[in-house]
Amino acid sequence: MTGSAERAIVDRVAFNRDGLVPAIIQQWDTGEVLMMGWMNDEALRRTLTEGRVTFWSRSRAEYWRKGDTSGNVQYVKGAALDCDGDTLLVKVEQIGVACHTGTRTCFDGDQLAPVVGTAPTDS
């Protein structure tokens, strides 16, 4: 990806007032939702050009490339913007667990038990 191509993509993103965009991370082959992280323009640029997912850590105020310290690496397989340009979907090959708590996904632990809706049937 050339500098102008990545700049054109970054320019399409509707970053929030803090200069961040949420990035939903999904296992590329199963569709399993693994986690959500934040990216600024540089984290997005790195993700698009390096083949590994990079986030912006709001708590540490620094970049972190998933897996550099844990070994739980995310290799980029695809990426898309939603229709409003304000959320990213990054499809990855996840090596190891995705969640910092040690679970496969960040959505394993706190099931909310909502009322389950049913679509109407045609008569």
mmCIF file of all heavy atoms in Angstrom, residues 9-30:
data_model
loop_
_atom_site.group_PDB
_atom_site.id
_atom_site.type_symbol
_atom_site.label_atom_id
_atom_site.label_comp_id
_atom_site.label_asym_id
_atom_site.label_seq_id
_atom_site.Cartn_x
_atom_site.Cartn_y
_atom_site.Cartn_z
ATOM 1 N N ILE A 9 -7.435 6.260 2.625
ATOM 2 C CA ILE A 9 -8.272 5.464 3.527
ATOM 3 C C ILE A 9 -8.434 6.177 4.857
ATOM 4 O O ILE A 9 -9.550 6.325 5.369
ATOM 5 C CB ILE A 9 -7.669 4.060 3.724
ATOM 6 C CG1 ILE A 9 -7.751 3.272 2.421
ATOM 7 C CG2 ILE A 9 -8.387 3.324 4.857
ATOM 8 C CD1 ILE A 9 -6.962 1.980 2.440
ATOM 9 N N VAL A 10 -7.339 6.615 5.442
ATOM 10 C CA VAL A 10 -7.394 7.307 6.739
ATOM 11 C C VAL A 10 -8.282 8.548 6.656
ATOM 12 O O VAL A 10 -9.042 8.838 7.576
ATOM 13 C CB VAL A 10 -5.971 7.653 7.236
ATOM 14 C CG1 VAL A 10 -6.006 8.566 8.448
ATOM 15 C CG2 VAL A 10 -5.198 6.372 7.550
ATOM 16 N N ASP A 11 -8.242 9.253 5.539
ATOM 17 C CA ASP A 11 -9.060 10.456 5.366
ATOM 18 C C ASP A 11 -10.556 10.144 5.335
ATOM 19 O O ASP A 11 -11.374 11.019 5.599
ATOM 20 C CB ASP A 11 -8.666 11.192 4.083
ATOM 21 C CG ASP A 11 -7.339 11.919 4.216
ATOM 22 O OD1 ASP A 11 -6.851 12.087 5.359
ATOM 23 O OD2 ASP A 11 -6.779 12.298 3.170
ATOM 24 N N ARG A 12 -10.934 8.907 5.028
ATOM 25 C CA ARG A 12 -12.352 8.517 4.996
ATOM 26 C C ARG A 12 -12.900 8.174 6.378
ATOM 27 O O ARG A 12 -14.108 8.044 6.545
ATOM 28 C CB ARG A 12 -12.536 7.316 4.058
ATOM 29 C CG ARG A 12 -12.317 7.701 2.618
ATOM 30 C CD ARG A 12 -12.365 6.563 1.626
ATOM 31 N NE ARG A 12 -13.105 5.381 2.016
ATOM 32 C CZ ARG A 12 -12.743 4.138 1.697
ATOM 33 N NH1 ARG A 12 -11.652 3.927 1.007
ATOM 34 N NH2 ARG A 12 -13.474 3.120 2.060
ATOM 35 N N VAL A 13 -12.019 8.002 7.362
ATOM 36 C CA VAL A 13 -12.446 7.593 8.698
ATOM 37 C C VAL A 13 -12.964 8.799 9.483
ATOM 38 O O VAL A 13 -12.354 9.866 9.497
ATOM 39 C CB VAL A 13 -11.285 6.931 9.463
ATOM 40 C CG1 VAL A 13 -11.699 6.558 10.876
ATOM 41 C CG2 VAL A 13 -10.793 5.702 8.712
ATOM 42 N N ALA A 14 -14.113 8.614 10.131
ATOM 43 C CA ALA A 14 -14.701 9.662 10.980
ATOM 44 C C ALA A 14 -14.227 9.420 12.421
ATOM 45 O O ALA A 14 -14.909 8.767 13.219
ATOM 46 C CB ALA A 14 -16.224 9.618 10.890
ATOM 47 N N PHE A 15 -13.049 9.930 12.737
ATOM 48 C CA PHE A 15 -12.505 9.791 14.082
ATOM 49 C C PHE A 15 -13.338 10.618 15.060
ATOM 50 O O PHE A 15 -13.887 11.659 14.683
ATOM 51 C CB PHE A 15 -11.051 10.255 14.121
ATOM 52 C CG PHE A 15 -10.118 9.378 13.323
ATOM 53 C CD1 PHE A 15 -9.773 9.717 12.024
ATOM 54 C CD2 PHE A 15 -9.604 8.214 13.859
ATOM 55 C CE1 PHE A 15 -8.923 8.922 11.273
ATOM 56 C CE2 PHE A 15 -8.751 7.395 13.115
ATOM 57 C CZ PHE A 15 -8.411 7.753 11.826
ATOM 58 N N ASN A 16 -13.428 10.170 16.320
ATOM 59 C CA ASN A 16 -14.177 10.934 17.323
ATOM 60 C C ASN A 16 -13.376 12.167 17.740
ATOM 61 O O ASN A 16 -12.283 12.413 17.235
ATOM 62 C CB ASN A 16 -14.585 10.051 18.514
ATOM 63 C CG ASN A 16 -13.405 9.599 19.367
ATOM 64 O OD1 ASN A 16 -12.305 10.138 19.314
ATOM 65 N ND2 ASN A 16 -13.643 8.567 20.174
ATOM 66 N N ARG A 17 -13.912 12.936 18.664
ATOM 67 C CA ARG A 17 -13.260 14.203 19.043
ATOM 68 C C ARG A 17 -11.893 14.001 19.693
ATOM 69 O O ARG A 17 -11.084 14.920 19.777
ATOM 70 C CB ARG A 17 -14.173 15.029 19.937
ATOM 71 C CG ARG A 17 -14.419 14.433 21.297
ATOM 72 C CD ARG A 17 -15.262 15.378 22.171
ATOM 73 N NE ARG A 17 -15.636 14.718 23.393
ATOM 74 C CZ ARG A 17 -16.790 14.096 23.600
ATOM 75 N NH1 ARG A 17 -17.700 14.080 22.668
ATOM 76 N NH2 ARG A 17 -17.035 13.504 24.750
ATOM 77 N N ASP A 18 -11.624 12.756 20.159
ATOM 78 C CA ASP A 18 -10.309 12.435 20.719
ATOM 79 C C ASP A 18 -9.354 11.897 19.653
ATOM 80 O O ASP A 18 -8.234 11.485 19.960
ATOM 81 C CB ASP A 18 -10.452 11.401 21.835
ATOM 82 C CG ASP A 18 -11.245 11.929 23.016
ATOM 83 O OD1 ASP A 18 -11.091 13.123 23.358
ATOM 84 O OD2 ASP A 18 -12.031 11.151 23.598
ATOM 85 N N GLY A 19 -9.823 11.878 18.388
ATOM 86 C CA GLY A 19 -8.991 11.400 17.299
ATOM 87 C C GLY A 19 -8.911 9.887 17.226
ATOM 88 O O GLY A 19 -7.963 9.342 16.657
ATOM 89 N N LEU A 20 -9.924 9.203 17.776
ATOM 90 C CA LEU A 20 -9.925 7.745 17.828
ATOM 91 C C LEU A 20 -11.129 7.165 17.110
ATOM 92 O O LEU A 20 -12.147 7.827 16.952
ATOM 93 C CB LEU A 20 -9.941 7.278 19.288
ATOM 94 C CG LEU A 20 -8.778 7.749 20.156
ATOM 95 C CD1 LEU A 20 -9.013 7.376 21.611
ATOM 96 C CD2 LEU A 20 -7.465 7.181 19.648
ATOM 97 N N VAL A 21 -10.990 5.908 16.711
ATOM 98 C CA VAL A 21 -12.085 5.162 16.090
ATOM 99 C C VAL A 21 -12.069 3.761 16.706
ATOM 100 O O VAL A 21 -10.997 3.188 16.919
ATOM 101 C CB VAL A 21 -11.936 5.123 14.551
ATOM 102 C CG1 VAL A 21 -10.687 4.403 14.115
ATOM 103 C CG2 VAL A 21 -13.166 4.536 13.890
ATOM 104 N N PRO A 22 -13.259 3.216 17.044
ATOM 105 C CA PRO A 22 -13.282 1.851 17.560
ATOM 106 C C PRO A 22 -12.996 0.851 16.449
ATOM 107 O O PRO A 22 -13.453 1.015 15.321
ATOM 108 C CB PRO A 22 -14.709 1.679 18.099
ATOM 109 C CG PRO A 22 -15.519 2.712 17.405
ATOM 110 C CD PRO A 22 -14.582 3.833 17.039
ATOM 111 N N ALA A 23 -12.229 -0.181 16.797
ATOM 112 C CA ALA A 23 -11.892 -1.241 15.847
ATOM 113 C C ALA A 23 -12.359 -2.574 16.429
ATOM 114 O O ALA A 23 -11.852 -3.021 17.458
ATOM 115 C CB ALA A 23 -10.385 -1.272 15.588
ATOM 116 N N ILE A 24 -13.343 -3.169 15.775
ATOM 117 C CA ILE A 24 -13.831 -4.483 16.158
ATOM 118 C C ILE A 24 -12.903 -5.510 15.519
ATOM 119 O O ILE A 24 -12.658 -5.458 14.309
ATOM 120 C CB ILE A 24 -15.279 -4.715 15.667
ATOM 121 C CG1 ILE A 24 -16.200 -3.580 16.124
ATOM 122 C CG2 ILE A 24 -15.782 -6.093 16.082
ATOM 123 C CD1 ILE A 24 -16.313 -3.405 17.609
ATOM 124 N N ILE A 25 -12.408 -6.438 16.324
ATOM 125 C CA ILE A 25 -11.478 -7.440 15.832
ATOM 126 C C ILE A 25 -12.211 -8.777 15.747
ATOM 127 O O ILE A 25 -12.805 -9.240 16.724
ATOM 128 C CB ILE A 25 -10.243 -7.565 16.753
ATOM 129 C CG1 ILE A 25 -9.624 -6.182 17.014
ATOM 130 C CG2 ILE A 25 -9.240 -8.539 16.166
ATOM 131 C CD1 ILE A 25 -9.177 -5.425 15.776
ATOM 132 N N GLN A 26 -12.182 -9.384 14.552
ATOM 133 C CA GLN A 26 -12.946 -10.593 14.268
ATOM 134 C C GLN A 26 -12.036 -11.667 13.677
ATOM 135 O O GLN A 26 -11.190 -11.366 12.828
ATOM 136 C CB GLN A 26 -14.048 -10.250 13.266
ATOM 137 C CG GLN A 26 -14.955 -11.392 12.887
ATOM 138 C CD GLN A 26 -15.991 -10.959 11.848
ATOM 139 O OE1 GLN A 26 -15.683 -10.266 10.876
ATOM 140 N NE2 GLN A 26 -17.227 -11.351 12.067
ATOM 141 N N GLN A 27 -12.209 -12.906 14.146
ATOM 142 C CA GLN A 27 -11.477 -14.034 13.555
ATOM 143 C C GLN A 27 -11.913 -14.182 12.105
ATOM 144 O O GLN A 27 -13.107 -14.289 11.821
ATOM 145 C CB GLN A 27 -11.755 -15.314 14.348
ATOM 146 C CG GLN A 27 -11.098 -16.552 13.795
ATOM 147 C CD GLN A 27 -9.583 -16.537 13.841
ATOM 148 O OE1 GLN A 27 -8.982 -15.944 14.717
ATOM 149 N NE2 GLN A 27 -8.953 -17.199 12.867
ATOM 150 N N TRP A 28 -10.976 -14.169 11.193
ATOM 151 C CA TRP A 28 -11.274 -14.089 9.759
ATOM 152 C C TRP A 28 -12.046 -15.279 9.216
ATOM 153 O O TRP A 28 -12.883 -15.111 8.341
ATOM 154 C CB TRP A 28 -9.992 -13.895 8.949
ATOM 155 C CG TRP A 28 -9.153 -15.129 8.832
ATOM 156 C CD1 TRP A 28 -8.261 -15.599 9.757
ATOM 157 C CD2 TRP A 28 -9.133 -16.056 7.763
ATOM 158 N NE1 TRP A 28 -7.677 -16.753 9.321
ATOM 159 C CE2 TRP A 28 -8.206 -17.069 8.086
ATOM 160 C CE3 TRP A 28 -9.808 -16.147 6.549
ATOM 161 C CZ2 TRP A 28 -7.928 -18.145 7.259
ATOM 162 C CZ3 TRP A 28 -9.535 -17.225 5.716
ATOM 163 C CH2 TRP A 28 -8.610 -18.202 6.071
ATOM 164 N N ASP A 29 -11.798 -16.486 9.730
ATOM 165 C CA ASP A 29 -12.413 -17.661 9.113
ATOM 166 C C ASP A 29 -13.690 -18.136 9.802
ATOM 167 O O ASP A 29 -14.534 -18.761 9.163
ATOM 168 C CB ASP A 29 -11.414 -18.812 8.996
ATOM 169 C CG ASP A 29 -10.758 -19.185 10.317
ATOM 170 O OD1 ASP A 29 -10.949 -18.472 11.328
ATOM 171 O OD2 ASP A 29 -10.030 -20.203 10.344
ATOM 172 N N THR A 30 -13.873 -17.815 11.080
ATOM 173 C CA THR A 30 -15.074 -18.273 11.801
ATOM 174 C C THR A 30 -16.084 -17.161 12.049
ATOM 175 O O THR A 30 -17.228 -17.441 12.377
ATOM 176 C CB THR A 30 -14.694 -18.870 13.168
ATOM 177 O OG1 THR A 30 -14.146 -17.831 14.000
ATOM 178 C CG2 THR A 30 -13.715 -20.024 13.014
#
